[in-house]
Amino acid sequence: MVCMLRAWLRRPAVAAQFRNSSALCGSTGLTVRNSSTKTAPHIPGMEYQDAICTLNTLQTNASCLEQVRRGRSHPQLQLQAMKAFLERTGLTVEALDHLNIIHVTGTKGKGSTCAFTEQILRSHGFRTGFYSSPHLVQVRERIRINGQPIGKELFTKYFWQVYGRLEKSKDAHGGTMPAYFRFLTILAFHVFLQEEVDLAVIEVGIGGAYDCTNIIRRPWVCGISSLGIDHTQILGDTIEKIAWQKGGIFKPGVPAFTVKQPEDAMVVLRDRARETGCPLRVCPELDDYQKHCGPLRLGLAGQHQHSNASLAIQLSHTWLQRRCRPDQSSPSPAELSGLSQAPQVCPSPITVKALSDTEWPGRNQTLKHGALTYFLDGAHTMRSMQACVDWFVEAAAQHERNASGPVARVLLFNATGERDSAAMLKLLVPCHFDFAVFCPNITEAAASCNADQQNFNVSVENMLTRCLDNQRSWQLHSSKGPGLLIEDSPSLGPEKKADTVVFPCILSALQWIAQGRNSVLAQSTEVILPVKSSIVAKAALLRNAAEIHVLITGSLHLVGGVLKHFDQTSSK
């Protein structure tokens, strides 16, 4: 199977999509040396796609990324390098003090917390900046003004300003350029300062202590969402090590809030706060607010969003207090000595409405296209996958009660990196899917795919091998036989009744699942590989179902690739 998919990827039209950038990383993994002779011209006035193609040359390729992971013996150098890159663009860390920043980290829920917080403060009439990652469809989603991704013209304008300054100064700095995420972080700071936002909500990339966003010196308030095990090669393999990294965003005298954490993690956060001189408070349950203001409805689905909303209430309330009451007293010595409970807050009507108005695509999101209902959630840790399962079981049951006939359930899954996809798949088995479909995070089999979706951090071979591993894991858990996609493929033995299929790209998987019943996918002009007759026959269950319910999970990049095909306007 791997050989067949490799052969498919050698086709010229397909291979062009996955050509690696020629960026080489330095021995420390802090910078890249841009030695490509095919980099898009970087002059003011270039189009948005030219900017994105140039941005992509800053991605760390797969082999280089592995060197970076092996060479993190001096992570504190990352912040020094970030400061140097920032200064090369004409900014200083002191300038960031004027952004009135809310800094948020966590293992899961930090993006949702930021979304709630931004919506609350925007609803209070403030001009907001919001920096998050990763993007789902287009890179500019990462940098938002007043809740909306900055426009293509604005992105292009500011991109060339920042890139041009770094390019002009690189010869004096050993030819170094910042890597992808580092560059986007600098770009976000530049945009927010130029656009004169009243505040900036900044989501940490990975960890906290050595994340490049942590050059922020004086945030107005910090938050830590739910902690769990993830990115273990970078952050450590225990909850205590991860909590230590997350607590690295604490700053002296700056109030910080956390949701309830595992006991061992909470001890570490308490000690980090005490050492830093940071007043750390634990958020109440969402029900505690409702005792004072009545029922709260959240715009984001899922029980796990309750703690994110509580954290957002505390962050926004604290920011508003500082903005409206700048003369309030400093934290008392008792507050700096350890954990304390967050004060009781009665959310204002504006805050209550903002919580219900909050949107955050790709997280517990439901989209309906005719007979197909798509449940999208970028869960990629064990805890977030269990939360996804709980949400899907309830949401799908509600839809099935209103269905006009039999419903087919389909899982579309992919996971990348070091994550334990076999364990996540085991959590999904009780959902009783009729089909489990696997594909890499490759949007479509065409060289003309959107540059926003290109990712050089994972090799194509790794992606394909992972899909086959995921398929085998599902078969092991569900005791079913394999399904193969490509026509004329060699037989692996007597064919069994199967419920798994592997596809080479997201679009081919979506089109097979839809069986012509999604008008948006039917309009696609992309060439789809011929499907083996047995797989065509197997799809009779999908064709005969009154409705098809599809859970798409395991990777935010997978969810983004799906949304790219559904939202034709944003991908143009």
Side-chain angles (χ1 to χ4, degrees), residues 136-138 140-141 144 148-149 152 361 365 367 369 376 450 453 510 518 520-521 523 559-572:
L136 293 177
V137 179
Q138 294 203 336
R140 56 195 180 89
E141 297 167 23
R144 296 171 181 253
Q148 295 300 314
K152 290 184 177 181
Q365 181 181 11
L367 295 175
H369 288 262
L376 301 100
N450 196 318
Q453 297 286 326
L510 289 174
N518 185 330
V520 174
L521 297 174
Q523 294 170 7
V559 169
V562 170
L563 289 174
K564 185 258 182 184
H565 290 299
F566 290 165
D567 188 355
Q568 299 299 319
T569 56
S570 69
S571 60
K572 290 181 180 177

PDB file of all heavy atoms in Angstrom, residues 136-138 140-141 144 148-149 152 361 365 367 369 376 450 453 510 518 520-521 523 559-572:
ATOM      1  N   LEU A 136      -6.770  27.363  10.158  1.00  0.00           N
ATOM      2  CA  LEU A 136      -7.524  26.256   9.568  1.00  0.00           C
ATOM      3  C   LEU A 136      -7.488  26.312   8.043  1.00  0.00           C
ATOM      4  O   LEU A 136      -7.162  25.325   7.387  1.00  0.00           O
ATOM      5  CB  LEU A 136      -8.969  26.286  10.055  1.00  0.00           C
ATOM      6  CG  LEU A 136      -9.156  26.001  11.561  1.00  0.00           C
ATOM      7  CD1 LEU A 136     -10.619  26.120  11.943  1.00  0.00           C
ATOM      8  CD2 LEU A 136      -8.622  24.619  11.918  1.00  0.00           C
ATOM      9  N   VAL A 137      -7.845  27.459   7.471  1.00  0.00           N
ATOM     10  CA  VAL A 137      -7.903  27.571   6.010  1.00  0.00           C
ATOM     11  C   VAL A 137      -6.831  28.509   5.486  1.00  0.00           C
ATOM     12  O   VAL A 137      -6.090  28.154   4.578  1.00  0.00           O
ATOM     13  CB  VAL A 137      -9.302  28.044   5.545  1.00  0.00           C
ATOM     14  CG1 VAL A 137      -9.356  28.177   4.032  1.00  0.00           C
ATOM     15  CG2 VAL A 137     -10.377  27.070   6.035  1.00  0.00           C
ATOM     16  N   GLN A 138      -6.724  29.698   6.044  1.00  0.00           N
ATOM     17  CA  GLN A 138      -5.743  30.662   5.558  1.00  0.00           C
ATOM     18  C   GLN A 138      -4.905  31.198   6.712  1.00  0.00           C
ATOM     19  O   GLN A 138      -5.402  31.380   7.838  1.00  0.00           O
ATOM     20  CB  GLN A 138      -6.435  31.819   4.833  1.00  0.00           C
ATOM     21  CG  GLN A 138      -7.123  31.376   3.544  1.00  0.00           C
ATOM     22  CD  GLN A 138      -7.307  32.520   2.568  1.00  0.00           C
ATOM     23  OE1 GLN A 138      -7.351  33.681   2.955  1.00  0.00           O
ATOM     24  NE2 GLN A 138      -7.428  32.201   1.297  1.00  0.00           N
ATOM     25  N   ARG A 140      -3.848  34.070   7.443  1.00  0.00           N
ATOM     26  CA  ARG A 140      -4.255  35.350   8.042  1.00  0.00           C
ATOM     27  C   ARG A 140      -5.291  35.169   9.154  1.00  0.00           C
ATOM     28  O   ARG A 140      -5.549  36.107   9.903  1.00  0.00           O
ATOM     29  CB  ARG A 140      -4.775  36.302   6.969  1.00  0.00           C
ATOM     30  CG  ARG A 140      -5.908  35.758   6.138  1.00  0.00           C
ATOM     31  CD  ARG A 140      -6.133  36.589   4.877  1.00  0.00           C
ATOM     32  NE  ARG A 140      -7.229  36.044   4.086  1.00  0.00           N
ATOM     33  CZ  ARG A 140      -8.497  36.390   4.238  1.00  0.00           C
ATOM     34  NH1 ARG A 140      -8.818  37.309   5.155  1.00  0.00           N
ATOM     35  NH2 ARG A 140      -9.440  35.856   3.502  1.00  0.00           N
ATOM     36  N   GLU A 141      -5.873  33.962   9.279  1.00  0.00           N
ATOM     37  CA  GLU A 141      -6.764  33.696  10.411  1.00  0.00           C
ATOM     38  C   GLU A 141      -6.031  33.837  11.738  1.00  0.00           C
ATOM     39  O   GLU A 141      -6.643  34.096  12.782  1.00  0.00           O
ATOM     40  CB  GLU A 141      -7.320  32.275  10.339  1.00  0.00           C
ATOM     41  CG  GLU A 141      -8.182  31.968   9.136  1.00  0.00           C
ATOM     42  CD  GLU A 141      -8.424  30.470   9.000  1.00  0.00           C
ATOM     43  OE1 GLU A 141      -8.312  29.764  10.026  1.00  0.00           O
ATOM     44  OE2 GLU A 141      -8.701  30.010   7.892  1.00  0.00           O
ATOM     45  N   ARG A 144      -6.022  38.488  13.947  1.00  0.00           N
ATOM     46  CA  ARG A 144      -7.382  39.005  13.825  1.00  0.00           C
ATOM     47  C   ARG A 144      -7.479  40.404  14.439  1.00  0.00           C
ATOM     48  O   ARG A 144      -6.874  40.686  15.464  1.00  0.00           O
ATOM     49  CB  ARG A 144      -8.383  38.072  14.518  1.00  0.00           C
ATOM     50  CG  ARG A 144      -8.457  36.694  13.888  1.00  0.00           C
ATOM     51  CD  ARG A 144      -9.276  35.720  14.719  1.00  0.00           C
ATOM     52  NE  ARG A 144      -9.312  34.413  14.093  1.00  0.00           N
ATOM     53  CZ  ARG A 144     -10.376  33.884  13.474  1.00  0.00           C
ATOM     54  NH1 ARG A 144     -11.512  34.567  13.442  1.00  0.00           N
ATOM     55  NH2 ARG A 144     -10.324  32.699  12.907  1.00  0.00           N
ATOM     56  N   GLN A 148     -12.052  39.438  13.285  1.00  0.00           N
ATOM     57  CA  GLN A 148     -11.991  38.999  11.898  1.00  0.00           C
ATOM     58  C   GLN A 148     -10.544  38.857  11.435  1.00  0.00           C
ATOM     59  O   GLN A 148      -9.693  39.689  11.771  1.00  0.00           O
ATOM     60  CB  GLN A 148     -12.711  40.004  10.994  1.00  0.00           C
ATOM     61  CG  GLN A 148     -14.207  40.111  11.246  1.00  0.00           C
ATOM     62  CD  GLN A 148     -14.931  38.796  11.027  1.00  0.00           C
ATOM     63  OE1 GLN A 148     -14.713  38.107  10.027  1.00  0.00           O
ATOM     64  NE2 GLN A 148     -15.788  38.437  11.965  1.00  0.00           N
ATOM     65  N   PRO A 149     -10.243  37.798  10.671  1.00  0.00           N
ATOM     66  CA  PRO A 149      -8.890  37.696  10.109  1.00  0.00           C
ATOM     67  C   PRO A 149      -8.568  38.951   9.307  1.00  0.00           C
ATOM     68  O   PRO A 149      -9.431  39.493   8.616  1.00  0.00           O
ATOM     69  CB  PRO A 149      -8.984  36.471   9.185  1.00  0.00           C
ATOM     70  CG  PRO A 149     -10.134  35.668   9.723  1.00  0.00           C
ATOM     71  CD  PRO A 149     -11.110  36.674  10.256  1.00  0.00           C
ATOM     72  N   LYS A 152      -6.629  40.260   3.028  1.00  0.00           N
ATOM     73  CA  LYS A 152      -5.458  39.873   2.239  1.00  0.00           C
ATOM     74  C   LYS A 152      -4.561  41.070   1.939  1.00  0.00           C
ATOM     75  O   LYS A 152      -3.331  40.965   1.969  1.00  0.00           O
ATOM     76  CB  LYS A 152      -5.919  39.211   0.940  1.00  0.00           C
ATOM     77  CG  LYS A 152      -6.550  37.843   1.141  1.00  0.00           C
ATOM     78  CD  LYS A 152      -6.899  37.194  -0.191  1.00  0.00           C
ATOM     79  CE  LYS A 152      -7.468  35.797   0.016  1.00  0.00           C
ATOM     80  NZ  LYS A 152      -7.791  35.119  -1.257  1.00  0.00           N
ATOM     81  N   PRO A 361     -14.213  28.278  14.924  1.00  0.00           N
ATOM     82  CA  PRO A 361     -14.365  27.182  13.953  1.00  0.00           C
ATOM     83  C   PRO A 361     -13.439  26.004  14.233  1.00  0.00           C
ATOM     84  O   PRO A 361     -12.326  26.172  14.756  1.00  0.00           O
ATOM     85  CB  PRO A 361     -14.008  27.860  12.622  1.00  0.00           C
ATOM     86  CG  PRO A 361     -14.270  29.314  12.844  1.00  0.00           C
ATOM     87  CD  PRO A 361     -13.910  29.560  14.275  1.00  0.00           C
ATOM     88  N   GLN A 365     -17.715  21.897  16.114  1.00  0.00           N
ATOM     89  CA  GLN A 365     -18.487  22.623  15.103  1.00  0.00           C
ATOM     90  C   GLN A 365     -19.340  21.648  14.299  1.00  0.00           C
ATOM     91  O   GLN A 365     -18.885  20.566  13.919  1.00  0.00           O
ATOM     92  CB  GLN A 365     -17.546  23.382  14.172  1.00  0.00           C
ATOM     93  CG  GLN A 365     -18.246  24.203  13.098  1.00  0.00           C
ATOM     94  CD  GLN A 365     -17.257  24.925  12.182  1.00  0.00           C
ATOM     95  OE1 GLN A 365     -16.050  24.665  12.219  1.00  0.00           O
ATOM     96  NE2 GLN A 365     -17.764  25.813  11.341  1.00  0.00           N
ATOM     97  N   LEU A 367     -21.703  21.288  10.821  1.00  0.00           N
ATOM     98  CA  LEU A 367     -22.088  21.859   9.531  1.00  0.00           C
ATOM     99  C   LEU A 367     -23.007  20.883   8.816  1.00  0.00           C
ATOM    100  O   LEU A 367     -22.728  19.679   8.774  1.00  0.00           O
ATOM    101  CB  LEU A 367     -20.854  22.119   8.658  1.00  0.00           C
ATOM    102  CG  LEU A 367     -19.845  23.169   9.139  1.00  0.00           C
ATOM    103  CD1 LEU A 367     -18.644  23.194   8.206  1.00  0.00           C
ATOM    104  CD2 LEU A 367     -20.498  24.536   9.214  1.00  0.00           C
ATOM    105  N   HIS A 369     -24.830  19.911   5.192  1.00  0.00           N
ATOM    106  CA  HIS A 369     -24.887  20.074   3.750  1.00  0.00           C
ATOM    107  C   HIS A 369     -25.846  19.017   3.199  1.00  0.00           C
ATOM    108  O   HIS A 369     -25.455  17.876   2.951  1.00  0.00           O
ATOM    109  CB  HIS A 369     -23.498  19.901   3.116  1.00  0.00           C
ATOM    110  CG  HIS A 369     -22.561  21.047   3.377  1.00  0.00           C
ATOM    111  ND1 HIS A 369     -22.344  22.052   2.470  1.00  0.00           N
ATOM    112  CD2 HIS A 369     -21.798  21.337   4.452  1.00  0.00           C
ATOM    113  CE1 HIS A 369     -21.479  22.922   2.967  1.00  0.00           C
ATOM    114  NE2 HIS A 369     -21.134  22.504   4.171  1.00  0.00           N
ATOM    115  N   LEU A 376     -17.135  18.546  13.321  1.00  0.00           N
ATOM    116  CA  LEU A 376     -15.707  18.829  13.228  1.00  0.00           C
ATOM    117  C   LEU A 376     -15.132  19.207  14.576  1.00  0.00           C
ATOM    118  O   LEU A 376     -15.647  20.107  15.256  1.00  0.00           O
ATOM    119  CB  LEU A 376     -15.448  19.976  12.239  1.00  0.00           C
ATOM    120  CG  LEU A 376     -15.930  19.772  10.801  1.00  0.00           C
ATOM    121  CD1 LEU A 376     -17.254  20.507  10.587  1.00  0.00           C
ATOM    122  CD2 LEU A 376     -14.910  20.268   9.801  1.00  0.00           C
ATOM    123  N   ASN A 450      -3.961  25.549  -2.431  1.00  0.00           N
ATOM    124  CA  ASN A 450      -3.731  26.812  -1.754  1.00  0.00           C
ATOM    125  C   ASN A 450      -2.449  26.746  -0.943  1.00  0.00           C
ATOM    126  O   ASN A 450      -2.240  25.830  -0.155  1.00  0.00           O
ATOM    127  CB  ASN A 450      -4.928  27.084  -0.835  1.00  0.00           C
ATOM    128  CG  ASN A 450      -4.975  28.524  -0.392  1.00  0.00           C
ATOM    129  OD1 ASN A 450      -3.962  29.116  -0.068  1.00  0.00           O
ATOM    130  ND2 ASN A 450      -6.172  29.077  -0.383  1.00  0.00           N
ATOM    131  N   GLN A 453      -2.226  26.019   2.844  1.00  0.00           N
ATOM    132  CA  GLN A 453      -2.389  24.668   3.378  1.00  0.00           C
ATOM    133  C   GLN A 453      -1.104  23.854   3.328  1.00  0.00           C
ATOM    134  O   GLN A 453      -1.078  22.723   3.790  1.00  0.00           O
ATOM    135  CB  GLN A 453      -3.476  23.928   2.581  1.00  0.00           C
ATOM    136  CG  GLN A 453      -4.857  24.550   2.692  1.00  0.00           C
ATOM    137  CD  GLN A 453      -5.502  24.288   4.033  1.00  0.00           C
ATOM    138  OE1 GLN A 453      -5.307  23.244   4.616  1.00  0.00           O
ATOM    139  NE2 GLN A 453      -6.265  25.254   4.516  1.00  0.00           N
ATOM    140  N   LEU A 510     -13.546  12.973   1.155  1.00  0.00           N
ATOM    141  CA  LEU A 510     -14.831  13.657   1.307  1.00  0.00           C
ATOM    142  C   LEU A 510     -15.792  13.291   0.183  1.00  0.00           C
ATOM    143  O   LEU A 510     -16.994  13.094   0.406  1.00  0.00           O
ATOM    144  CB  LEU A 510     -14.616  15.171   1.332  1.00  0.00           C
ATOM    145  CG  LEU A 510     -13.953  15.755   2.583  1.00  0.00           C
ATOM    146  CD1 LEU A 510     -13.680  17.242   2.386  1.00  0.00           C
ATOM    147  CD2 LEU A 510     -14.813  15.530   3.824  1.00  0.00           C
ATOM    148  N   ASN A 518     -23.284  15.982  -1.700  1.00  0.00           N
ATOM    149  CA  ASN A 518     -22.874  17.291  -1.214  1.00  0.00           C
ATOM    150  C   ASN A 518     -22.593  18.159  -2.432  1.00  0.00           C
ATOM    151  O   ASN A 518     -21.611  17.956  -3.145  1.00  0.00           O
ATOM    152  CB  ASN A 518     -21.628  17.172  -0.332  1.00  0.00           C
ATOM    153  CG  ASN A 518     -21.228  18.491   0.304  1.00  0.00           C
ATOM    154  OD1 ASN A 518     -21.452  19.564  -0.252  1.00  0.00           O
ATOM    155  ND2 ASN A 518     -20.612  18.424   1.472  1.00  0.00           N
ATOM    156  N   VAL A 520     -21.504  21.122  -2.791  1.00  0.00           N
ATOM    157  CA  VAL A 520     -20.248  21.870  -2.776  1.00  0.00           C
ATOM    158  C   VAL A 520     -19.113  20.998  -3.288  1.00  0.00           C
ATOM    159  O   VAL A 520     -18.300  21.425  -4.119  1.00  0.00           O
ATOM    160  CB  VAL A 520     -19.929  22.370  -1.348  1.00  0.00           C
ATOM    161  CG1 VAL A 520     -18.552  23.016  -1.299  1.00  0.00           C
ATOM    162  CG2 VAL A 520     -20.994  23.352  -0.892  1.00  0.00           C
ATOM    163  N   LEU A 521     -19.039  19.753  -2.826  1.00  0.00           N
ATOM    164  CA  LEU A 521     -17.982  18.846  -3.271  1.00  0.00           C
ATOM    165  C   LEU A 521     -18.195  18.411  -4.708  1.00  0.00           C
ATOM    166  O   LEU A 521     -17.240  18.186  -5.450  1.00  0.00           O
ATOM    167  CB  LEU A 521     -17.934  17.619  -2.364  1.00  0.00           C
ATOM    168  CG  LEU A 521     -17.586  17.884  -0.901  1.00  0.00           C
ATOM    169  CD1 LEU A 521     -17.719  16.601  -0.095  1.00  0.00           C
ATOM    170  CD2 LEU A 521     -16.188  18.454  -0.762  1.00  0.00           C
ATOM    171  N   GLN A 523     -19.132  20.134  -7.110  1.00  0.00           N
ATOM    172  CA  GLN A 523     -18.701  21.170  -8.035  1.00  0.00           C
ATOM    173  C   GLN A 523     -17.202  21.173  -8.273  1.00  0.00           C
ATOM    174  O   GLN A 523     -16.710  21.876  -9.147  1.00  0.00           O
ATOM    175  CB  GLN A 523     -19.126  22.544  -7.482  1.00  0.00           C
ATOM    176  CG  GLN A 523     -20.624  22.753  -7.419  1.00  0.00           C
ATOM    177  CD  GLN A 523     -21.000  24.001  -6.643  1.00  0.00           C
ATOM    178  OE1 GLN A 523     -20.144  24.783  -6.257  1.00  0.00           O
ATOM    179  NE2 GLN A 523     -22.296  24.185  -6.416  1.00  0.00           N
ATOM    180  N   VAL A 559      -9.057  19.158   9.956  1.00  0.00           N
ATOM    181  CA  VAL A 559     -10.284  19.947  10.013  1.00  0.00           C
ATOM    182  C   VAL A 559     -10.178  21.163   9.107  1.00  0.00           C
ATOM    183  O   VAL A 559     -11.111  21.509   8.380  1.00  0.00           O
ATOM    184  CB  VAL A 559     -10.588  20.361  11.469  1.00  0.00           C
ATOM    185  CG1 VAL A 559     -11.700  21.399  11.521  1.00  0.00           C
ATOM    186  CG2 VAL A 559     -10.961  19.137  12.299  1.00  0.00           C
ATOM    187  N   GLY A 560      -9.024  21.823   9.124  1.00  0.00           N
ATOM    188  CA  GLY A 560      -8.824  22.977   8.259  1.00  0.00           C
ATOM    189  C   GLY A 560      -8.897  22.623   6.790  1.00  0.00           C
ATOM    190  O   GLY A 560      -9.463  23.370   5.979  1.00  0.00           O
ATOM    191  N   GLY A 561      -8.331  21.472   6.423  1.00  0.00           N
ATOM    192  CA  GLY A 561      -8.400  21.032   5.031  1.00  0.00           C
ATOM    193  C   GLY A 561      -9.823  20.768   4.591  1.00  0.00           C
ATOM    194  O   GLY A 561     -10.201  21.053   3.445  1.00  0.00           O
ATOM    195  N   VAL A 562     -10.630  20.233   5.490  1.00  0.00           N
ATOM    196  CA  VAL A 562     -12.041  19.997   5.186  1.00  0.00           C
ATOM    197  C   VAL A 562     -12.770  21.325   5.003  1.00  0.00           C
ATOM    198  O   VAL A 562     -13.513  21.523   4.042  1.00  0.00           O
ATOM    199  CB  VAL A 562     -12.705  19.163   6.294  1.00  0.00           C
ATOM    200  CG1 VAL A 562     -14.217  19.109   6.112  1.00  0.00           C
ATOM    201  CG2 VAL A 562     -12.124  17.748   6.312  1.00  0.00           C
ATOM    202  N   LEU A 563     -12.553  22.253   5.927  1.00  0.00           N
ATOM    203  CA  LEU A 563     -13.219  23.551   5.851  1.00  0.00           C
ATOM    204  C   LEU A 563     -12.805  24.310   4.596  1.00  0.00           C
ATOM    205  O   LEU A 563     -13.592  25.086   4.040  1.00  0.00           O
ATOM    206  CB  LEU A 563     -12.904  24.375   7.098  1.00  0.00           C
ATOM    207  CG  LEU A 563     -13.560  23.897   8.393  1.00  0.00           C
ATOM    208  CD1 LEU A 563     -13.057  24.700   9.583  1.00  0.00           C
ATOM    209  CD2 LEU A 563     -15.079  24.005   8.299  1.00  0.00           C
ATOM    210  N   LYS A 564     -11.590  24.095   4.147  1.00  0.00           N
ATOM    211  CA  LYS A 564     -11.128  24.747   2.918  1.00  0.00           C
ATOM    212  C   LYS A 564     -12.014  24.357   1.747  1.00  0.00           C
ATOM    213  O   LYS A 564     -12.355  25.183   0.887  1.00  0.00           O
ATOM    214  CB  LYS A 564      -9.674  24.366   2.653  1.00  0.00           C
ATOM    215  CG  LYS A 564      -9.053  25.076   1.455  1.00  0.00           C
ATOM    216  CD  LYS A 564      -8.980  24.181   0.242  1.00  0.00           C
ATOM    217  CE  LYS A 564      -8.322  24.896  -0.928  1.00  0.00           C
ATOM    218  NZ  LYS A 564      -8.312  24.084  -2.159  1.00  0.00           N
ATOM    219  N   HIS A 565     -12.430  23.111   1.691  1.00  0.00           N
ATOM    220  CA  HIS A 565     -13.286  22.659   0.588  1.00  0.00           C
ATOM    221  C   HIS A 565     -14.727  23.127   0.755  1.00  0.00           C
ATOM    222  O   HIS A 565     -15.433  23.339  -0.234  1.00  0.00           O
ATOM    223  CB  HIS A 565     -13.244  21.135   0.484  1.00  0.00           C
ATOM    224  CG  HIS A 565     -11.927  20.608  -0.005  1.00  0.00           C
ATOM    225  ND1 HIS A 565     -11.412  20.919  -1.244  1.00  0.00           N
ATOM    226  CD2 HIS A 565     -11.016  19.813   0.600  1.00  0.00           C
ATOM    227  CE1 HIS A 565     -10.227  20.327  -1.391  1.00  0.00           C
ATOM    228  NE2 HIS A 565      -9.976  19.652  -0.290  1.00  0.00           N
ATOM    229  N   PHE A 566     -15.163  23.311   1.995  1.00  0.00           N
ATOM    230  CA  PHE A 566     -16.541  23.737   2.230  1.00  0.00           C
ATOM    231  C   PHE A 566     -16.714  25.243   2.078  1.00  0.00           C
ATOM    232  O   PHE A 566     -17.767  25.705   1.669  1.00  0.00           O
ATOM    233  CB  PHE A 566     -16.992  23.322   3.635  1.00  0.00           C
ATOM    234  CG  PHE A 566     -17.181  21.843   3.791  1.00  0.00           C
ATOM    235  CD1 PHE A 566     -17.289  21.274   5.042  1.00  0.00           C
ATOM    236  CD2 PHE A 566     -17.243  21.010   2.682  1.00  0.00           C
ATOM    237  CE1 PHE A 566     -17.464  19.902   5.191  1.00  0.00           C
ATOM    238  CE2 PHE A 566     -17.409  19.645   2.814  1.00  0.00           C
ATOM    239  CZ  PHE A 566     -17.521  19.092   4.069  1.00  0.00           C
ATOM    240  N   ASP A 567     -15.680  26.001   2.452  1.00  0.00           N
ATOM    241  CA  ASP A 567     -15.778  27.462   2.409  1.00  0.00           C
ATOM    242  C   ASP A 567     -15.008  27.962   1.200  1.00  0.00           C
ATOM    243  O   ASP A 567     -13.856  28.363   1.295  1.00  0.00           O
ATOM    244  CB  ASP A 567     -15.211  28.061   3.698  1.00  0.00           C
ATOM    245  CG  ASP A 567     -15.464  29.554   3.806  1.00  0.00           C
ATOM    246  OD1 ASP A 567     -16.000  30.128   2.841  1.00  0.00           O
ATOM    247  OD2 ASP A 567     -15.123  30.147   4.837  1.00  0.00           O
ATOM    248  N   GLN A 568     -15.654  27.941   0.045  1.00  0.00           N
ATOM    249  CA  GLN A 568     -14.989  28.300  -1.198  1.00  0.00           C
ATOM    250  C   GLN A 568     -14.582  29.767  -1.222  1.00  0.00           C
ATOM    251  O   GLN A 568     -13.611  30.149  -1.862  1.00  0.00           O
ATOM    252  CB  GLN A 568     -15.902  27.989  -2.393  1.00  0.00           C
ATOM    253  CG  GLN A 568     -16.265  26.516  -2.512  1.00  0.00           C
ATOM    254  CD  GLN A 568     -15.051  25.636  -2.720  1.00  0.00           C
ATOM    255  OE1 GLN A 568     -14.137  25.965  -3.469  1.00  0.00           O
ATOM    256  NE2 GLN A 568     -15.025  24.486  -2.045  1.00  0.00           N
ATOM    257  N   THR A 569     -15.341  30.627  -0.550  1.00  0.00           N
ATOM    258  CA  THR A 569     -15.055  32.066  -0.614  1.00  0.00           C
ATOM    259  C   THR A 569     -13.767  32.406   0.128  1.00  0.00           C
ATOM    260  O   THR A 569     -12.954  33.200  -0.354  1.00  0.00           O
ATOM    261  CB  THR A 569     -16.213  32.874  -0.002  1.00  0.00           C
ATOM    262  OG1 THR A 569     -16.447  32.419   1.333  1.00  0.00           O
ATOM    263  CG2 THR A 569     -17.477  32.679  -0.820  1.00  0.00           C
ATOM    264  N   SER A 570     -13.558  31.776   1.299  1.00  0.00           N
ATOM    265  CA  SER A 570     -12.372  32.130   2.084  1.00  0.00           C
ATOM    266  C   SER A 570     -11.106  31.552   1.501  1.00  0.00           C
ATOM    267  O   SER A 570     -10.014  32.018   1.780  1.00  0.00           O
ATOM    268  CB  SER A 570     -12.529  31.647   3.531  1.00  0.00           C
ATOM    269  OG  SER A 570     -12.488  30.247   3.585  1.00  0.00           O
ATOM    270  N   SER A 571     -11.215  30.509   0.682  1.00  0.00           N
ATOM    271  CA  SER A 571     -10.025  29.865   0.146  1.00  0.00           C
ATOM    272  C   SER A 571      -9.593  30.453  -1.180  1.00  0.00           C
ATOM    273  O   SER A 571      -8.610  30.040  -1.759  1.00  0.00           O
ATOM    274  CB  SER A 571     -10.267  28.356  -0.006  1.00  0.00           C
ATOM    275  OG  SER A 571     -11.338  28.104  -0.881  1.00  0.00           O
ATOM    276  N   LYS A 572     -10.327  31.429  -1.669  1.00  0.00           N
ATOM    277  CA  LYS A 572      -9.957  32.033  -2.948  1.00  0.00           C
ATOM    278  C   LYS A 572      -9.020  33.194  -2.730  1.00  0.00           C
ATOM    279  O   LYS A 572      -9.049  33.838  -1.695  1.00  0.00           O
ATOM    280  CB  LYS A 572     -11.220  32.502  -3.685  1.00  0.00           C
ATOM    281  CG  LYS A 572     -12.070  31.337  -4.189  1.00  0.00           C
ATOM    282  CD  LYS A 572     -13.299  31.845  -4.930  1.00  0.00           C
ATOM    283  CE  LYS A 572     -14.147  30.676  -5.418  1.00  0.00           C
ATOM    284  NZ  LYS A 572     -15.377  31.125  -6.077  1.00  0.00           N
TER     285      LYS A 572
END
